[in-house]
Amino acid sequence: MSNQHSTVEEHGRPRKHEGPKKHIVAFIFSILLTVIAFATVASGEINETFTYLVLVGMALLQVFIQMAFWMHMKDRGHMFAIVGILTGVFVAFTCVLMAEYWVWW
Amino acid sequence: MSAHSHVDGQLPHEPEKATLEGRNKVLAFWLFLGGETVLFGTLFSAFLALRHQVGDGNPTSQELFQLPLVAAATFILLTSSLTSVFAIQAMHNNKVKAMINWLIVTVILGAGFLGLEIYEFYHYVHEGHGFTTSAFSSSFYTLVGFHGAHVAFGVLWIGLLIAQVFKKGLNTVTAPKIYVAGMYWHFIDVVWVFIFTVVYLMGKVG
């Protein structure tokens, strides 16, 4: 593949460097998801509940793509990284649920 | 293991993970980002709880927000995230010059995003949407302003890192710093995805 470079390590074993291809694909997907989210709101013809669902879905999908590819979370050796972030997400999500369903009970 | 003492003076494959210190730095930064997630989670929950508390006669989110401006800011920040990925890839390929160039592009795009946000806030204040106007305005400025402050810090941080690489070159000490700054920048972009979704788009819907 033209976009994969290889260097010879000290043991003479070639190591493949990842090319920019999948990062550009992740970028295009991010743009696409953003456009869908904006278009759903801008059209103003889709009912509210469905719009909210689309927005949350697009945001979660985009965050997943960016964290997996751009922050290398899908690569091995990211066990503690995932545990750390998920702990943060758990607390944050609890706060958001509290704000949405409890504050104005 | 003296991974950085290569015979030909070349950097190892992933210089940010070549030393124990570098690996610890990356891991600790993930834990820091977990804490940042909590910070933004609390700011988001405050905004969600207060976003309809506009008060009489004050501008609502539907009146204030302009989607084209938000879309432009989103596109700028998203692109800057991609250029910071290119910087890390250039680092992995041991192309110091390309890495610095991509980092400079990232900083410029970050500054552009900040400029748009300052213009936006200035515009809102003129529309009668000050920090103390309503519970909605206070929680809005706190959340979006905190993100803006993170972008400003990132611009400064990456700017200083560029200067340091110019001075000291790319080695196993400077490489983890750049990798970690790249992670920070992606995180800022991820937070923005939630801001444009929850604050601007949902604010436009109602």
Side-chain angles (χ1 to χ4, degrees):
Chain A
M1 260 207 204
S2 61
N3 56 13
Q4 285 192 326
H5 311 270
S6 59
T7 51
V8 179
E9 290 277 284
E10 54 205 313
H11 309 297
R13 191 158 43 92
R15 287 280 286 270
K16 283 233 166 87
H17 284 274
E18 51 179 25
K21 202 169 156 190
K22 66 178 185 188
H23 292 301
I24 292 170
V25 170
F27 178 71
I28 291 168
F29 263 103
S30 291
I31 293 280
L32 222 76
L33 294 169
T34 306
V35 168
I36 292 172
F38 272 85
T40 311
V41 174
S43 77
E45 282 166 26
I46 300 144
N47 80 65
E48 223 169 271
T49 320
F50 187 69
T51 306
Y52 277 131
L53 281 176
V54 170
L55 291 181
V56 172
M58 295 301 123
L60 289 179
L61 209 66
Q62 177 163 182
V63 165
F64 175 78
I65 289 173
Q66 292 192 10
M67 290 191 107
F69 288 92
W70 288 355
M71 294 174 86
H72 299 280
M73 244 177 156
K74 62 170 181 47
D75 296 359
R76 65 187 176 83
H78 280 70
M79 187 54 195
F80 280 107
I82 291 168
V83 170
I85 281 287
L86 281 186
T87 310
V89 168
F90 174 72
V91 177
F93 191 63
T94 311
C95 288
V96 168
L97 281 185
M98 180 276 294
E100 271 293 275
Y101 296 108
W102 198 27
V103 171
W104 304 111
W105 192 340
Chain B
M1 181 178 105
S2 58
H4 43 296
S5 59
H6 278 241
V7 209
D8 49 358
Q10 266 213 337
L11 273 177
H13 172 63
E14 286 179 329
E16 77 276 5
K17 287 173 187 148
T19 62
L20 180 62
E21 197 188 330
R23 285 195 293 275
N24 283 346
K25 206 171 256 178
V26 173
L27 172 61
F29 204 81
W30 274 107
L31 301 182
F32 165 73
L33 289 183
E36 288 271 281
T37 309
V38 175
L39 169 78
F40 278 105
T42 55
L43 292 174
F44 268 107
S45 54
F47 177 80
L48 282 167
L50 299 172
R51 70 191 186 110
H52 294 302
Q53 314 304 308
V54 180
D56 288 333
N58 296 322
T60 62
S61 54
Q62 279 103 328
E63 290 160 10
L64 282 172
F65 298 156
Q66 280 158 356
L67 289 186
L69 187 80
V70 182
T74 303
F75 186 73
I76 290 175
L77 206 62
L78 200 58
T79 310
S80 80
S81 219
L82 182 71
T83 57
S84 74
V85 164
F86 287 159
I88 300 298
Q89 286 204 311
M91 180 177 91
H92 283 163
N93 289 327
N94 218 341
K95 290 175 183 154
V96 183
K97 214 171 169 187
M99 179 191 83
I100 288 176
N101 287 340
W102 283 121
L103 286 178
I104 289 172
V105 173
T106 307
V107 166
I108 290 171
L109 288 171
F113 174 85
L114 269 182
L116 271 187
E117 189 154 273
I118 291 166
Y119 165 77
E120 185 196 357
F121 282 10
Y122 178 81
H123 180 72
Y124 288 166
V125 170
H126 274 259
E127 303 252 303
H129 182 72
F131 187 76
T132 54
T133 305
S134 60
F136 159 63
S137 78
S138 299
S139 58
F140 166 81
Y141 282 121
T142 310
L143 172 59
V144 182
F146 239 89
H147 176 267
H150 273 77
V151 174
F153 178 79
V155 165
L156 212 79
W157 182 16
I158 298 175
L160 286 172
L161 280 179
I162 294 168
Q164 196 177 37
V165 171
F166 261 122
K167 209 173 159 199
K168 304 192 170 173
L170 182 67
N171 52 47
T172 49
V173 178
T174 49
K177 298 182 186 186
I178 291 164
Y179 186 80
V180 152
M183 279 169 62
Y184 177 82
W185 200 255
H186 293 313
F187 181 77
I188 296 304
D189 187 40
V190 163
V191 172
W192 181 255
V193 170
F194 283 114
I195 289 185
F196 84 68
T197 303
V198 171
V199 177
Y200 293 99
L201 292 181
M202 288 186 181
K204 209 71 187 165
V205 174

